[in-house]
């Protein structure tokens, strides 16, 4: 009667919670992605293609690197050219991106419009004061920098 109803209700609630947890875990796996390339592979790629990259820099045309090797895409702006090497994260949530960029004026903060960066490890870091955005870069050779950014 009442004990039986409470017992049945408890079992139903337990089953529903397991079902909800399983669904969240399943959809979390679908929405989470990781195609980021490790830092050492990015730096090795840039060093192996140094002559080609410098030649492209002279012509300011990096289109031949679009989709080549570890480079997923190339974005050009007025301050730098970004070579995206992937990222990871959840859709609509926090995200991490990595790659390298070319700054014609050899500016480590060119990718982030001159944000103030401080020394950190082998490179430089910007951390948003009232948020979770972080930008890190490390010089590979003149005008070329490895980067990581998270939002």
């Amino acid at each position: 009667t009442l004990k039986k109803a409470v017992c049945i209700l408890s079992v139903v609630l337990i089953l529903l919670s397991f079902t909800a947890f399983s669904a969240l875990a399943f959809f979390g796996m679908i929405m989470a992605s990781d195609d980021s390339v490790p830092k050492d592979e990015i730096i090795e790629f840039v060093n192996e293609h140094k002559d080609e990259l410098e030649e492209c820099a002279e012509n300011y045309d990096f289109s031949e690197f679009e989709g080549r090797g570890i480079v997923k895409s190339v974005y050009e702006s007025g301050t730098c050219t970004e070579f995206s090497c992937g990222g990871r994260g959840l859709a609509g949530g926090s995200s991490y991106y990595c790659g390298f960029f070319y700054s014609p004026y050899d500016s480590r903060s060119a990718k982030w419009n001159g944000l103030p960066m401080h020394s950190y490890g082998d490179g430089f870091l910007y951390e948003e004061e009232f948020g979770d955005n972080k930008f890190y870069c490390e010089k590979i050779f003149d005008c070329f920098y490895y980067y990581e950014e998270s939002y």
Side-chain angles (χ1 to χ4, degrees):
T1 48
L2 183 58
K3 280 186 177 182
K4 190 175 182 181
V6 168
C7 192
I8 291 173
L9 185 58
S10 296
V11 169
V12 168
L13 288 174
I14 289 171
L15 290 174
L16 284 175
S17 65
F18 281 128
T19 304
F21 177 78
S22 297
L24 286 174
F26 175 75
F27 286 112
M29 287 188 293
I30 289 175
M31 293 184 341
S33 65
D34 185 351
D35 68 348
S36 60
V37 176
K39 175 182 169 182
D40 58 334
E41 288 182 37
I42 294 171
I43 292 173
E44 181 180 339
F45 179 87
V46 174
N47 283 319
E48 285 177 2
H49 296 91
K50 180 179 181 189
D51 293 338
E52 292 171 84
L53 287 163
E54 288 178 332
E55 185 177 317
C56 289
E58 287 177 19
N59 302 320
Y60 208 72
D61 179 12
F62 295 98
S63 58
E64 71 179 76
F65 281 92
E66 181 91 32
R68 180 175 169 189
I70 62 170
V71 177
K72 310 279 192 259
S73 55
V74 178
Y75 304 98
E76 295 191 34
S77 72
T79 57
C80 73
T81 302
E82 174 187 347
F83 300 81
S84 174
C85 296
R88 64 179 173 263
L90 296 172
S94 62
S95 298
Y96 164 88
Y97 303 97
C98 61
F100 62 98
F101 67 91
Y102 165 73
S103 169
Y105 303 107
D106 202 19
S107 170
R108 65 179 176 255
S109 62
K111 181 171 172 10
W112 302 288
N113 298 315
L115 289 173
M117 303 180 86
H118 63 274
S119 293
Y120 183 84
D122 292 331
F124 297 89
L125 178 70
Y126 166 81
E127 294 178 277
E128 189 176 47
E129 187 175 352
F130 299 106
D132 61 353
N133 295 344
K134 293 181 182 179
F135 310 126
Y136 173 80
C137 72
E138 195 173 300
K139 192 170 197 165
I140 302 172
F141 54 83
D142 285 347
C143 302
F144 286 88
Y145 293 83
Y146 164 79
Y147 78 84
E148 297 174 10
E149 55 191 1
S150 60
Y151 300 93

